[in-house]
Amino acid sequence: MSDNGHEETADQQPPCSICDDARWLNVDAPVGSPEFGTVVPCECQETVWGSHIRKRLRDYSDLGPLERMTFESMEPAGRDGFVDPPTFRRARDAAQRYSHDPMGWLVISGPSGTGKTHIAAAIANRLVNEGRPVKFVSVPDLLDHMRATLDRNSDDSDADDFEGLFSHIIEAPMLVLDDLGVQSPTRWAEEKIDQVLSQRYARRLPTVLTTSMAIDQLPDRLRTRVTDPFISERIELQSGAGNADRSSIGLDSSQLKSMTFEAFDVRGARSSSQRQRATLESAHSAARSFAEMPQGWIYLAGPTGVGKTHLAVSIANVQIQQGRTVLFRFVPDLLDQLRRAYQPKSSTGFDREFQVIRNCEVLILDDLGAQATTAWAEEKLYQLIVHRHAAGLPTVITSRVLLDEAAASGFTDRYADAIGSRLRDTHMVWEYAMLAPDYRQRGAAGTRTKSSRTTRKEQNSNAKTERTTRTQ
């Protein structure tokens, strides 16, 4: 009983007829209004809380020792070796946006150890610090608490305690449910979680879910809710592959040391014409801009020895310094790597190997078109290019083949059109033709290799540029 003589409810506060002991009231606003789905404290909270609102919010949140898990305390790229840095950064950014304007559901999935709980707790802690109510609860703990309340006795007071607890979870202004799917898979447990989420879904109450389960493994009703694009945003964390060294990047220390933007000579070989040097300057400037802010794809084309690989490694240097995950792969070596991953003795396995390459933050494909044109090789490159194009992942490609010839030169009819269409997507891919003599010619004027040929292509409505490319 409280000091004023009123019976206390399960949350040790006097009963309230205004909010029916929920402590919060939904704002009566139409669908589409900025205030739709928001909640405000009931009058009873203003009376009880007084100047201790921040402590009350902390107590209400049930964060406990998770108070230390904030956006400021997390590693920018996640725990080294435990989580894939690119996916962690995307999850962190999505969570920060959500914490500023928590509307709808945010679903965070991924294996154990990838930082799901830290991200979810960081959202809750930011809201509490801003004076906003949030309830954080582990699903297994919640179900244990419910069972304990029911198991004590079957008298009315215990039933009221259970209904009070259940109601507070359903009606929480902002709810974080951690570790969904870890609970015992009993019919009762699934029923209670379904009731909570179904009511919150119907009322569009802000909710954060974390789960180690794949989305397609969730119960049907829950899966339809978390995949509803009108209310749910899904972010997926992937396991890390341990500390990356230079060999995993695909470059050794001598390459990274020697191939920098500062070491690139835009004058080309001594025999280079002014027009040829201009193509080197343009490619150098574009590669440098891309390295500072990688967006879309950059395609560096030209004959052997003009510095395409040098600029690609220079981009890798800057990205590594910025802390991004970079993979540099000479295309024929990449295909050999994937073939080895198929072998039974492979330490990683093909699926994981291919997944790492497909989803790395910045991928550099060196000498596209130099690969052996087998059906298997074409299929893997097709899958890689389609995935990164659809996801908009920054990609650098070097090739001895210009884009207007790329599909016809290196691929059969089965994949030529599909690959060429994506490479020629001017909204995604920027081509820079590097048209100068081979640096390795040491200034020998007029020298041309037997395997080279000259083509002309209209660059724009005002000028035509000579383009030299080497056949495979």
Side-chain angles (χ1 to χ4, degrees):
M1 182 172 291
S2 63
D3 293 339
N4 59 14
H6 293 295
E7 288 289 335
E8 292 183 338
T9 60
D11 58 359
Q12 283 73 55
Q13 294 187 28
C16 177
S17 59
I18 300 175
C19 63
D20 196 21
D21 302 337
R23 310 308 174 196
W24 311 95
L25 296 173
N26 289 308
V27 174
D28 185 14
V31 177
S33 167
E35 295 184 346
F36 177 73
T38 60
V39 294
V40 294
C42 176
E43 293 178 14
C44 65
Q45 297 304 283
E46 298 177 6
T47 303
V48 173
W49 288 11
S51 61
H52 302 291
I53 187 168
R54 186 62 55 82
K55 182 179 183 303
R56 284 282 185 175
L57 282 171
R58 280 284 167 199
D59 292 342
Y60 173 78
S61 73
D62 282 335
L63 279 163
L66 300 184
E67 290 181 10
R68 60 185 174 80
M69 292 187 173
T70 65
F71 287 114
E72 293 72 25
S73 68
M74 69 175 57
E75 295 291 332
R79 295 174 64 195
D80 191 18
F82 286 85
V83 62
D84 176 52
T87 59
F88 185 85
R89 275 190 279 266
R90 287 195 289 271
R92 179 200 62 197
D93 293 345
Q96 287 181 321
R97 291 192 299 271
Y98 185 87
S99 69
H100 290 301
D101 186 20
M103 296 181 65
W105 289 15
L106 183 66
V107 182
I108 308 170
S109 62
S112 298
T114 51
K116 301 184 299 298
T117 296
H118 193 146
I119 292 174
I123 294 172
N125 277 302
R126 174 166 288 178
L127 291 171
V128 170
N129 288 336
E130 292 177 354
R132 305 172 72 173
V134 57
K135 173 72 75 175
F136 186 103
V137 60
S138 163
V139 172
D141 289 348
L142 171 63
L143 293 171
D144 285 347
H145 194 174
M146 288 181 174
R147 290 189 191 95
T149 304
L150 286 175
D151 289 345
R152 289 192 197 110
N153 286 298
S154 58
D155 58 38
D156 291 339
S157 63
D158 288 319
D160 289 344
D161 285 347
F162 177 83
E163 291 302 325
L165 171 63
F166 200 50
S167 176
H168 289 157
I169 296 300
I170 290 174
E171 299 177 1
M174 167 73 198
L175 178 64
V176 179
L177 283 180
D178 190 36
D179 268 344
L180 180 67
V182 175
Q183 71 274 6
S184 300
T186 64
R187 179 171 296 181
W188 180 87
E190 289 186 359
E191 176 186 317
K192 294 307 166 190
I193 294 301
D194 180 74
Q195 289 174 352
V196 169
L197 294 178
S198 293
Q199 292 202 40
R200 294 189 66 82
Y201 176 82
R203 295 161 66 177
R204 297 299 194 258
L205 292 174
T207 307
V208 174
L209 303 175
T210 78
T211 180
S212 299
M213 298 178 67
I215 299 301
D216 59 4
Q217 295 177 336
L218 295 173
D220 290 343
R221 282 167 57 85
L222 177 56
R223 186 171 64 251
T224 60
R225 286 157 174 70
V226 302
T227 57
D228 182 349
F230 295 102
I231 189 174
S232 295
E233 178 182 2
R234 290 184 291 144
I235 51 181
E236 182 180 357
L237 295 163
Q238 296 175 6
S239 294
N243 295 328
D245 56 20
R246 293 294 180 261
S247 61
S248 66
I249 292 172
L251 296 165
D252 58 42
S253 57
S254 62
Q255 288 175 297
L256 289 168
K257 183 177 181 180
S258 61
M259 294 184 179
T260 63
F261 286 117
E262 293 72 23
F264 185 85
D265 189 354
V266 296
R267 297 171 299 176
R270 281 181 290 175
S271 59
S272 300
S273 68
Q274 184 174 355
R275 179 175 293 178
Q276 289 169 336
R277 289 173 181 171
T279 67
L280 299 181
E281 291 173 357
S282 177
H284 178 267
S285 176
R288 196 158 206 162
S289 297
F290 181 91
E292 293 298 330
M293 187 176 294
Q295 293 181 344
W297 293 15
I298 185 169
Y299 188 98
L300 304 173
T304 297
V306 295
K308 304 184 299 296
T309 298
H310 187 134
L311 290 181
V313 176
S314 300
I315 292 172
N317 258 311
V318 174
Q319 290 300 292
I320 292 169
Q321 292 168 10
Q322 291 182 1
R324 290 189 174 90
T325 303
V326 180
L327 290 181
F328 182 103
R329 293 294 185 266
F330 177 56
V331 174
D333 289 348
L334 166 64
L335 295 172
D336 285 344
Q337 175 188 353
L338 294 178
R339 289 187 188 98
R340 288 193 297 271
Y342 264 127
Q343 298 175 1
K345 294 183 179 180
S346 171
S347 60
T348 56
F350 175 82
D351 290 341
R352 181 176 180 184
E353 193 91 17
F354 198 43
Q355 189 77 351
V356 169
I357 295 168
R358 292 202 318 164
N359 293 305
C360 69
E361 283 187 283
V362 180
L363 177 64
I364 301 174
L365 296 175
D366 190 36
D367 216 356
L368 181 66
Q371 71 279 355
T373 54
T374 66
W376 184 89
E378 286 187 25
E379 181 183 12
K380 295 306 134 189
L381 286 174
Y382 166 75
Q383 292 172 345
L384 183 61
I385 288 170
V386 167
H387 175 81
R388 293 189 68 83
H389 179 272
L393 296 172
T395 305
V396 180
I397 298 176
T398 76
S399 179
R400 287 172 277 174
V401 182
L402 297 172
L403 277 181
D404 60 332
E405 304 165 328
S409 174
F411 304 98
T412 60
D413 291 342
R414 183 179 180 186
Y415 294 105
D417 290 342
I419 291 175
S421 173
R422 288 163 175 83
L423 293 179
R424 290 191 295 269
D425 180 356
T426 56
H427 295 288
M428 175 73 74
V429 184
W430 286 266
E431 178 187 17
Y432 292 89
M434 302 171 65
L435 307 169
D438 190 336
Y439 277 102
R440 304 181 187 94
Q441 292 178 3
R442 304 298 182 187
T447 302
R448 295 178 60 192
T449 62
K450 293 181 180 180
S451 60
S452 65
R453 61 187 174 88
T454 303
T455 64
R456 289 187 177 273
K457 184 179 185 300
E458 185 176 353
Q459 291 274 29
N460 51 48
S461 59
N462 301 319
K464 289 185 179 181
T465 300
E466 179 183 351
R467 290 180 167 181
T468 303
T469 173
R470 178 174 173 179
T471 58
Q472 306 304 309

